Amino acid sequence: MSAEATKVKTTYREAMRQAIRDAMNRDARVFLMGEDVGAYGGCYAVSKGLLDEFGPERIRDTPLSESAFVGAGIGAAMNGMRPIVEIMTVNFSLLALDQIINNAATILHMSGGQFNIPLVIRMTTGAGRQLAAQHSHSLEGWYAHIPGIKVLAPATLEDARGMLWTALEDPDPVLIFEHGTLYNMEGELAADAGPVEIAKAAVRRAGSDISLITYGGTLFKTLEAAEQLASSGIDAEVVDLRTLRPLDTETILDSVNRTHRAVIVDEGWRSGSISAEISARIMEGAFYELDLPVERICSAEVPIPYAKHLEEAALPQASTIVATVTRMIGAHG
Amino acid sequence: MSAEATKVKTTYREAMRQAIRDAMNRDARVFLMGEDVGAYGGCYAVSKGLLDEFGPERIRDTPLSESAFVGAGIGAAMNGMRPIVEIMTVNFSLLALDQIINNAATILHMSGGQFNIPLVIRMTTGAGRQLAAQHSHSLEGWYAHIPGIKVLAPATLEDARGMLWTALEDPDPVLIFEHGTLYNMEGELAADAGPVEIAKAAVRRAGSDISLITYGGTLFKTLEAAEQLASSGIDAEVVDLRTLRPLDTETILDSVNRTHRAVIVDEGWRSGSISAEISARIMEGAFYELDLPVERICSAEVPIPYAKHLEEAALPQASTIVATVTRMIGAHG
Amino acid sequence: KCAELYSAAKIRGFLHLYIGEEAVAVGAMRALTPEDSVVATYREHGHALLRGIPAGAIMAEMFGKQEGCSRGRGGSMHLFDAKHRFFGGNAIVGGGLPLAVGIALADKLVHRSRVTACFFGDGAVAEGEFHESMNLAALWKLPVLFFCENNLYGMGTALRRAESETDLCLKASSYEMPAWPVDGMDVLACEEAAHRAALEVRGGAGPCFLEFRTYRFRAHSMYDPQLYRSKVEVEEWKKHDPISTFQDRLTVDGILDDAKLKLIEDEVAAEIEEAIAFAEAGTWEPDEELTRFAYSEVKAP
Amino acid sequence: KCAELYSAAKIRGFLHLYIGEEAVAVGAMRALTPEDSVVATYREHGHALLRGIPAGAIMAEMFGKQEGCSRGRGGSMHLFDAKHRFFGGNAIVGGGLPLAVGIALADKLVHRSRVTACFFGDGAVAEGEFHESMNLAALWKLPVLFFCENNLYGMGTALRRAESETDLCLKASSYEMPAWPVDGMDVLACEEAAHRAALEVRGGAGPCFLEFRTYRFRAHSMYDPQLYRSKVEVEEWKKHDPISTFQDRLTVDGILDDAKLKLIEDEVAAEIEEAIAFAEAGTWEPDEELTRFAYSEVKAP
Ligand SMILES: Cc1ncc(C[n+]2csc(CCOP(=O)(O)OP(=O)(O)O)c2C)c(N)n1
Ligand SMILES: Cc1ncc(C[n+]2csc(CCOP(=O)(O)OP(=O)(O)O)c2C)c(N)n1
Ligand SMILES: [Mg+2]
Ligand SMILES: [Mg+2]
């Protein structure tokens, strides 16, 4: 994306839609399949209008059969297509987990390298909209435990616009998690914005005092916290992981080696979250560089409550980040 | 269990069967339900003979419908029963994950504390028997990420015999993972062996030089490694986690505070495994006590291969543990 | 009865959800005793109310107050009430069916003559959990009433675009389960059918499947632009509005007149006012209690 | 043809798995062209062999050698061969059905007249994935041949203890899918039925379901003590052994005589010897390559 490129105002939702449109136009093997992606326009309106543009064969509404249509995506990918399968919400993906873990993630290996699966699965993730305990999980970090799949968490307009095509070009299954609170996010995007690489994490804010490592829905809370910290003289670096599997350990350690302090901000439940993996990797790769122990700010270990004030209390917030960092740095001038 | 109690020779399989028999006799609300638990005698012969003893109502064969019979276990538990649901192998539990995560783990919370779910789900886990990539997952550490459930990993005869009843007395859903390589393990068990507590980890071998933290299928490999290390003058402590959720952080930190070194041995895939959570907790709770960074010995990040030599290479082995510890301690006298 | 009917209808005005389908829940619920169990979906406000959960507790739940029937933890999609054996609104389509099977299994194991009514929509029929649950219930002859609310759409997907075979009763038959269709716009037909089914199921004949043919007048949810169906179709169905048609019938039969109607409407209006007032007056659970109910605080009996 | 039949039978002797059911795979496979696709289960040795995968590559796979058809990574339950469009033995009961639906969907989207044959057992019918896949295939009129090998048992569970409705063709009908039963012990009947079904499916009529009624003579697996069925029952079925009965018929018809039979048996014996020799001579993949094939090494075309 060239610096001088003219910018256009857009939203995360539109950027994602443009990415789908772009992929459909680039490659006839690409099609979108999922519940209400067509006639309804997508439960979060991401695919709105695409049915008229590409027709019901390529913008394919499915019955409520998560396991079968995700499995069908795998089969279609094994037979030459480039399917984009949409699962409305991460919780429903649990109904398709057999296909994702026992088939999509293993078939390349079980076949001794004969059958790769160029499949992309998109789903909404995260809390923050009072949808309660069956619609608010953040399981992207949990999925990142599984060998054989890749896990992406686009947080910016550029990544919403650019990650899909790169994922479709990948020979193996790629899961894309879109945080529900981001769809309405507005901003400027280069008119010629296109595919982006998915191999590296990105430093969204350079800083020298501490590394704040995060991704997805908590990126902007973290950036907000960083600004507040700046006003009190603490210069925080913010790392956006972007891809949760494989993790870009290099960029993480690089940042920690410069700041000697780290906090991981993760909307997943604390125990066994990807924040634990990152902390462990810092332990293994930068132990002697640390001025003080790495800390984690995660969701409370409780199913997400419906009541607004309790939901907010359950999730990582900018205020928590500020307080934690201030305490950590206060303790070590 | 009294020290003088007479011992009887038994196996892990028989200990588990005795635990089921005992529970069925103690409480009329208890019943066992799963695929081939009755007429076939259990796919790993754990429930062999129980059908004749308790009849088809309480030793209930199910069709191949993991989601429905696990969900039925939840419903029965909500309506006064104490079901033991057996899932043949951890991989098949992925077909029931919607019921486990969206219902069993959330209903107590979503109902504001009205409906607890006293359900026990047993399943076989782990590799080591050349069953290849669809029958060899070790997902117990992965399950431990989910609030609302408890996760047990009995490794000894005492725990195989004693954890089930304690789990049934628990008001909330408890998952018990039985490592497939342990069923034939023989040993001595007190004739009067009974229920055991499930809240604490156990130090299986006391030592002063390093803490080897493990559970389930890798416990005995780790104990074997400890013996080998002893012969070369390294005194390793072996901690058996026993319960993966909630984790007994106290016992872990306690051990590390004494040994100042730690290695976690875990059959789960490395990234996002429970070994990462333990490393992170040591980082947070004993950072200043550590002489050197905590290390992890886990399974290679690949679906488990069928070929015997490759499967062995993929899993943690005593030799790897010995080599790692020797290197770590060699580096720091 | 009419009050129920009305309140079932009007109170929904608050969230625009069940309008058009009231006759189903009203009729079906009347076949149940307090000892029976109910499993519902996220579209369960009417069901909860008809089951006897106080309107105030339901309203408070939607407000997120701790006086709500789920202490504000569940919200509108997750109304629960142990006292009324209301085993929850379940927001996973098809997710409630296995629970109903298990609840009924427990009753059968201890020889209680209770039945479990399980409500779900036409969209749920495509889910694997529907298939597995229907087979288990029929195979084990469990006392489950499968109440399918067929409103012809699963969100924006018309039944004919979701099922190769749109006669849902035929599906039930493939499990050897008795099944019949019911005019879901006629409250008396719903009540009669539910009674008949409950009688059989209670008698130990095994489960039963009823397909209530009804229609959702309002959008699926607030966000739904309803691009997938025509105004004409909706208007056509509105002619069969279960409330106005039933009202007319009662008026013709001389059971209802403008005075009585006025009375009822005032009654309902008052009930709603009261519920809202109760909810408004409700309190927020303190943040310190956030992590409660992830696990039980007392041992199970 | 006979050689196929025999080898399909004898080679199994090595793992005692498909014995008794040979007629199904032998007959069904003959309806397929090399362009068609096959999805199978963990009981797929016969199918793999009949599809044209060299016996040596299969045997080597069971040995775990890198000359195996899955490089020793998959083993006996996971035979794969891209060249023969054999999309694998799948060891999750029901897990292969959604794959078959997707493979067929791809063919339909690009207007190829291929069909996808999906083999699965009677036990798979209870799984949700069966239900969802049958509906999708029928709803979208996909070219899938659902070949159900009904051997009356899922491990130790008799069909009547697993299904409330044991007529599996009735289930297929509830998706509006044409279905008919076939004598799975008669190789010619299997072939004829498969041909008929393949013709319809290839013509674009949508999927088809065949219930092959057969029987497993051997234990489910090595560990199976077979407590769940009587010797008498097994002996009764053995009278219908597809191989000996077909042999007798050929002899009566004068097509086969002792000399010819001897010839075939020697041929098969030799083929087996060869396969075993090939496997024995195979090599072990070096440990250094352990993590290969978790991800692709080349970009997808
Ligand atoms: C497993 C699952 N998939 C998708 C959804 C999203 N969703 C919520 S309601 C709904 C439509 C359900 O239709 P139906 O069962 O007919 O019930 P109705 O809303 O018409 O009453 C969908 C797709 C969900 N909640 N659960
Ligand atoms: C989802 C799942 N559940 C359970 C098993 C264990 N299992 C392996 S084979 C089998 C029986 C399957 O019976 P059927 O489908 O009739 O095939 P058959 O073995 O008779 O050929 C079972 C229960 C499995 N592999 N997958
Ligand atoms: Mg509907
Ligand atoms: Mg079978």
Side-chain angles (χ1 to χ4, degrees), chain B residues 121-188:
Chain B
I121 301 175
R122 294 175 45 237
M123 63 186 96
T124 306
T125 188
R129 294 159 294 149
Q130 280 200 270
L131 296 181
Q134 287 184 331
H135 284 67
S136 302
H137 287 64
S138 293
L139 298 179
E140 52 275 24
W142 193 62
Y143 269 101
H145 175 58
I146 309 301
I149 61 174
K150 294 181 180 176
V151 177
L152 312 184
T156 64
L157 295 177
E158 286 71 20
D159 284 347
R161 172 67 182 84
M163 280 184 159
L164 180 65
W165 178 250
T166 318
L168 282 164
E169 280 190 305
D170 194 285
D172 302 313
V174 179
L175 275 56
I176 300 180
F177 290 85
E178 305 162 15
H179 199 286
T181 59
L182 295 176
Y183 286 124
N184 293 327
M185 179 177 72
E186 294 189 336
E188 300 233 303

Side-chain angles (χ1 to χ4, degrees), chain B:
Chain B
M1 158 190 144
S2 70
E4 318 75 40
T6 51
K7 299 259 190 182
V8 290
K9 217 167 175 335
T10 185
T11 63
Y12 186 98
R13 173 182 292 106
E14 287 161 5
M16 191 60 68
R17 182 184 305 140
Q18 188 49 37
I20 297 171
R21 178 181 289 119
D22 181 29
M24 301 278 291
N25 287 325
R26 275 172 185 258
D27 189 336
R29 299 171 303 176
V30 173
F31 66 101
L32 175 70
M33 165 164 71
E35 290 160 7
D36 291 307
V37 294
Y40 188 91
C43 61
Y44 292 105
V46 169
S47 52
K48 196 164 181 173
L50 296 180
L51 174 63
D52 302 334
E53 225 172 309
F54 299 101
E57 290 288 299
R58 293 185 70 198
I59 301 294
R60 180 169 291 265
D61 279 323
T62 67
L64 277 92
S65 307
E66 284 79 6
S67 193
F69 70 74
V70 167
I74 297 169
M78 289 172 83
N79 197 14
M81 305 302 285
R82 294 291 180 273
I84 304 171
V85 173
E86 174 178 314
I87 297 175
M88 282 188 173
T89 298
V90 63
N91 298 63
F92 316 150
S93 72
L94 297 175
L95 286 155
L97 217 53
D98 166 54
Q99 288 299 323
I100 296 172
I101 296 186
N102 285 326
N103 283 342
T106 63
I107 284 175
L108 175 70
H109 181 264
M110 294 195 302
S111 66
Q114 290 179 84
F115 290 100
N116 67 294
I117 297 166
L119 166 70
V120 170
I121 301 175
R122 294 175 45 237
M123 63 186 96
T124 306
T125 188
R129 294 159 294 149
Q130 280 200 270
L131 296 181
Q134 287 184 331
H135 284 67
S136 302
H137 287 64
S138 293
L139 298 179
E140 52 275 24
W142 193 62
Y143 269 101
H145 175 58
I146 309 301
I149 61 174
K150 294 181 180 176
V151 177
L152 312 184
T156 64
L157 295 177
E158 286 71 20
D159 284 347
R161 172 67 182 84
M163 280 184 159
L164 180 65
W165 178 250
T166 318
L168 282 164
E169 280 190 305
D170 194 285
D172 302 313
V174 179
L175 275 56
I176 300 180
F177 290 85
E178 305 162 15
H179 199 286
T181 59
L182 295 176
Y183 286 124
N184 293 327
M185 179 177 72
E186 294 189 336
E188 300 233 303
L189 184 64
D192 65 355
V196 297
E197 57 84 27
I198 57 174
K200 302 212 61 62
V203 174
R204 298 293 183 197
R205 183 188 195 284
S208 54
D209 296 335
I210 188 165
S211 301
L212 305 181
I213 301 157
T214 187
Y215 68 91
T218 44
L219 173 61
F220 297 97
K221 291 175 176 178
T222 307
L223 285 167
E224 184 194 328
E227 288 317 311
Q228 291 180 35
L229 287 164
S231 62
S232 53
I234 297 173
D235 183 22
E237 175 152 304
V238 177
V239 177
D240 174 5
L241 295 169
R242 300 182 67 240
T243 295
L244 304 187
R245 184 178 185 96
L247 265 181
D248 175 10
T249 315
E250 194 186 348
T251 301
I252 295 169
L253 295 182
D254 211 65
S255 176
V256 175
N257 286 335
R258 282 185 284 95
T259 63
H260 310 291
R261 302 184 182 94
V263 173
I264 304 141
V265 182
D266 178 4
E267 194 178 301
W269 290 301
R270 184 185 185 90
S271 295
S273 60
I274 191 143
S275 66
E277 177 63 27
I278 293 164
S279 178
R281 291 196 187 191
I282 295 173
M283 161 84 81
E284 291 151 6
F287 180 74
Y288 299 103
E289 291 291 333
L290 290 172
D291 286 351
L292 69 176
V294 174
E295 297 201 25
R296 298 182 284 164
I297 297 171
C298 306
S299 285
E301 305 213 20
V302 61
I304 303 300
Y306 164 77
K308 195 170 193 317
H309 68 296
L310 290 180
E311 180 177 41
E312 277 168 9
L315 305 176
Q317 304 294 354
S319 54
T320 338
I321 303 171
V322 170
T324 306
V325 172
T326 314
R327 170 177 47 74
M328 287 170 72
I329 295 199
H332 284 59

Side-chain angles (χ1 to χ4, degrees), chain C residues 24-91:
Chain C
V24 178
V26 173
M29 284 293 182
R30 292 179 60 83
L32 305 180
T33 75
E35 281 302 284
D36 294 332
S37 309
V38 176
V39 175
T41 70
Y42 47 87
R43 197 181 293 284
E44 86 283 33
H45 312 91
H47 309 74
L49 201 64
L50 290 157
R51 188 60 186 166
I53 306 179
I58 293 171
M59 194 64 75
E61 185 59 32
M62 298 189 192
F63 278 50
K65 301 292 182 77
Q66 58 183 329
E67 290 75 12
C69 57
S70 306
R71 297 184 111 262
R73 299 269 175 164
S76 120
M77 298 196 290
H78 305 297
L79 304 174
F80 283 85
D81 190 327
K83 197 160 112 285
H84 293 91
R85 301 190 58 76
F86 194 77
F87 288 77
N90 199 299

Side-chain angles (χ1 to χ4, degrees), chain A residues 98, chain B residues 35-36 43 64-66 88-89 91-92 95 134-135, chain D residues 18 21 41-43 77 90-95 120-125 127 129 149-157 216 220:
Chain A
D98 166 54
Chain B
E35 290 160 7
D36 291 307
C43 61
L64 277 92
S65 307
E66 284 79 6
M88 282 188 173
T89 298
N91 298 63
F92 316 150
L95 286 155
Q134 287 184 331
H135 284 67
Chain D
Y18 199 54
E21 311 180 42
T41 71
Y42 49 87
R43 197 182 293 285
M77 299 196 290
N90 199 301
I92 303 298
V93 172
F120 56 96
D122 49 290
V125 172
E127 291 282 2
E129 292 187 327
E149 300 177 308
N150 179 3
N151 60 13
L152 296 175
Y153 290 89
M155 264 179 91
T157 304
R216 163 169 55 77
H220 169 74

